[in-house]
Amino acid sequence: RMDDEVGTFIHIMGSELKTQEPAACSNGTSFSIKNLFFNVPARRKFLKGNTAELKHIIYEIQRIALPNPEIRFSLFHNNVPLYELPKTNYRKRVVDVFGKNINHSLVPVAEKTSLVNIHGFVGQPKYALKTVGEQFFFVNGRFMRHPYFHKAVMQAYEKLLPPETFPSYFLFLETDPADIDINVHPTKTEIKFENEGAIWQIIHAAVRESLGKHKDRKS
C-alpha cells in the first residue's frame, strides 16, 4: 500500500511460496520472472522461440499500459530497458509506446451516448500500415478482442485506405458493467455486449465523423 513504510518481498518457485517478508522498496510493484515453466516440461515444449515469446510479453504490457496512463510502467528484458513509460495522458501514452512518429497520425475520437462512451484515437488513412498490430479496443479499462466492432472501424475507413493496409486505432469504451459479459472465453479477452448492434453503429459513426472532421480541416 502507498501509505506503508515498507513493501513485501514474495518469492514463488514452481507454484510454491518460498518466502514472504517485509522489504524496503520504492512505490509500485515489480515482478522478476526467470526460467518460466522450468518444472512443467510439457508446457515449456510448446513455447516458441525467445523472440516470439518476447513479442507476446510486449503485447501484454501494451494491453495494460495503454488504458492506464496514470500509472508508470517499466519493462526490462535481460537487464535492458524496453519501455520506460512515465505517468501521462492517453495520447502521450500511445506515443510513448509506439514512437513519436505516430503522433502526427492520431485523430481524436470522442462520443457520449446513453449506451456507451467512446474516446481515443484513430490513425489517418495515409499512415495505415501493411501489417496489423496497432489496433486496440478496451472496455472499462480492459483489453478486448472484438472482430465485429473491428469491422465497424474498418467500414468507417471505406474508400479511404491505400490497398491492403490496416489503420491504427486505440479506442476506449466505457459502459455499464451489467451490460457486458467477460466470461465468454477463458482468456477474458472476448467480451459480449448486450447491445452490440447499436454499439457497432455508434463506433462506426464516431470514427467516420472524426475522420471526416480531420479531412475537412485539411481541405
Side-chain angles (χ1 to χ4, degrees):
R1 296 185 325 195
M2 295 289 288
D3 55 345
D4 285 348
E5 293 185 2
V6 296
T8 301
F9 173 78
I10 299 176
H11 181 202
I12 298 174
M13 182 182 296
S15 300
E16 181 182 342
L17 179 62
K18 296 292 186 180
T19 305
Q20 180 172 337
E21 57 190 17
C25 62
S26 56
N27 289 336
T29 303
S30 297
F31 294 92
S32 179
I33 302 170
K34 300 179 181 179
N35 303 322
L36 196 60
F37 306 134
F38 75 94
N39 63 334
V40 192
R43 182 74 178 271
R44 189 177 67 241
K45 188 175 76 170
F46 288 103
L47 290 176
K48 301 184 185 301
N50 289 344
T51 301
E53 294 299 337
L54 178 60
K55 286 182 179 179
H56 292 322
I57 293 170
I58 290 173
Y59 193 36
E60 290 297 330
I61 293 295
Q62 292 173 353
R63 293 177 179 185
I64 299 171
L66 288 171
N68 295 288
E70 74 283 359
I71 299 175
R72 181 178 67 87
F73 289 87
S74 298
L75 174 63
F76 290 80
H77 174 60
N78 293 337
N79 297 319
V80 176
L82 301 184
Y83 280 138
E84 288 284 5
L85 306 176
K87 297 179 182 179
T88 186
N89 55 42
Y90 283 96
R91 186 183 189 112
K92 187 64 165 55
R93 176 55 57 88
V94 171
V95 172
D96 288 343
V97 170
F98 291 101
K100 62 182 180 180
N101 288 338
I102 200 174
N103 190 35
H104 54 260
S105 167
L106 299 177
V107 177
V109 177
E111 185 70 35
K112 290 188 176 183
T113 73
S114 59
L115 287 180
V116 64
N117 295 334
I118 304 171
H119 70 93
F121 308 93
V122 293
Q124 295 179 41
K126 66 181 178 180
Y127 294 110
L129 304 175
K130 291 287 187 180
T131 57
V132 296
E134 293 183 1
Q135 294 80 33
F136 291 85
F137 276 120
F138 302 90
V139 59
N140 298 347
R142 175 192 295 272
F143 169 81
M144 70 172 179
R145 300 182 187 277
H146 211 294
Y148 182 53
F149 290 168
H150 172 74
K151 290 180 181 178
V153 175
M154 294 303 293
Q155 288 189 26
Y157 279 87
E158 190 175 12
K159 298 181 180 179
L160 298 176
L161 291 173
E164 299 182 359
T165 60
F166 303 90
S168 301
Y169 61 79
F170 311 89
L171 295 176
F172 305 86
L173 282 62
E174 297 172 2
T175 190
D176 186 342
D179 293 336
I180 60 175
D181 182 3
I182 65 171
N183 294 308
V184 296
H185 191 273
T187 64
K188 304 291 194 295
T189 58
E190 296 182 16
I191 312 295
K192 184 70 175 176
F193 287 71
E194 187 171 327
N195 302 289
E196 286 196 342
I199 293 175
W200 192 101
Q201 295 292 341
I202 294 169
I203 293 172
H204 178 269
V207 173
R208 192 78 180 173
E209 181 181 6
S210 292
L211 292 172
K213 287 180 178 179
H214 174 78
K215 184 179 180 181
D216 291 343
R217 286 198 301 269
K218 293 297 182 181
S219 60

